């Protein structure tokens, strides 16, 4: 079974350049988590992953600044895999909007899986 939490939005201060850490920008996170197929059999929240707890885990990591979004995505997945033992496999897609690349760029992103 695949659990999807898509379009989580955050305003955060990640980046290599000082202005990124001072001004910040918008980020979005999509998360896919594979869990055992029997997680939904009993209609019992304790048998699966609480989406609110997952969101709070992502939100907490978004508040700890990183220079690289690669590092940020890795930290988020490490925390998800550690905090939610029923998650067998997870994929994160993290986008940073309006990156300072010297031209008009809507967003850059990273996709990572564990």
């Amino acid at each position: 079974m695949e659990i999807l939490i898509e379009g989580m939005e955050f305003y955060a201060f990640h980046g290599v350049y000082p202005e990124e850490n001072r001004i910040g920008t918008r980020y979005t996170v999509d998360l896919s988590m594979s869990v055992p197929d029997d997680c939904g059999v009993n209609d019992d929240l304790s048998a699966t992953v609480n989406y609110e707890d997952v969101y709070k885990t992502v939100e907490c990591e978004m508040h700890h600044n990183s220079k690289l979004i690669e590092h940020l995505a890795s930290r988020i997945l490490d925390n998800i895999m550690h905090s939610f033992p029923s998650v067998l496999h997870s994929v994160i897609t993290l986008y940073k909007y309006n990156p300072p690349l010297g031209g008009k760029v809507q967003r850059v992103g990273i996709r990572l899986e564990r």
Side-chain angles (χ1 to χ4, degrees):
M1 178 184 306
E2 200 79 14
I3 294 175
L4 306 171
I5 303 177
E6 298 179 329
M8 292 180 269
E9 291 190 24
F10 303 95
Y11 197 90
F13 301 87
H14 307 288
V16 173
Y17 301 113
E19 61 269 15
E20 294 177 286
N21 295 288
R22 192 176 73 254
I23 298 168
T25 194
R26 184 170 71 100
Y27 295 81
T28 58
V29 177
D30 298 334
L31 192 60
S32 167
M33 297 166 288
S34 298
V35 296
D37 288 337
D38 62 355
C39 278
V41 172
N42 298 328
D43 201 24
D44 179 10
L45 181 58
S46 67
T48 187
V49 175
N50 184 320
Y51 305 167
E52 182 180 12
D53 291 343
V54 171
Y55 177 86
K56 288 178 181 177
T57 298
V58 174
E59 180 181 42
C60 181
E61 289 297 332
M62 290 299 296
H63 286 33
H64 296 286
N65 293 0
S66 287
K67 291 179 183 174
L68 304 176
I69 60 172
E70 293 86 340
H71 182 252
L72 175 60
S74 181
R75 279 196 349 250
I76 291 170
L77 276 192
D78 285 347
N79 202 330
I80 294 295
M81 299 304 289
H82 176 76
S83 299
F84 304 97
S86 61
V87 174
L88 307 172
H89 179 260
S90 188
V91 179
I92 187 171
T93 305
L94 187 148
Y95 291 107
K96 177 179 186 172
Y97 290 79
N98 303 309
L101 301 181
K104 184 165 175 59
V105 177
Q106 181 184 19
R107 65 186 182 184
V108 294
I110 178 85
R111 180 170 292 128
L112 181 63
E113 60 183 281
R114 296 243 161 78

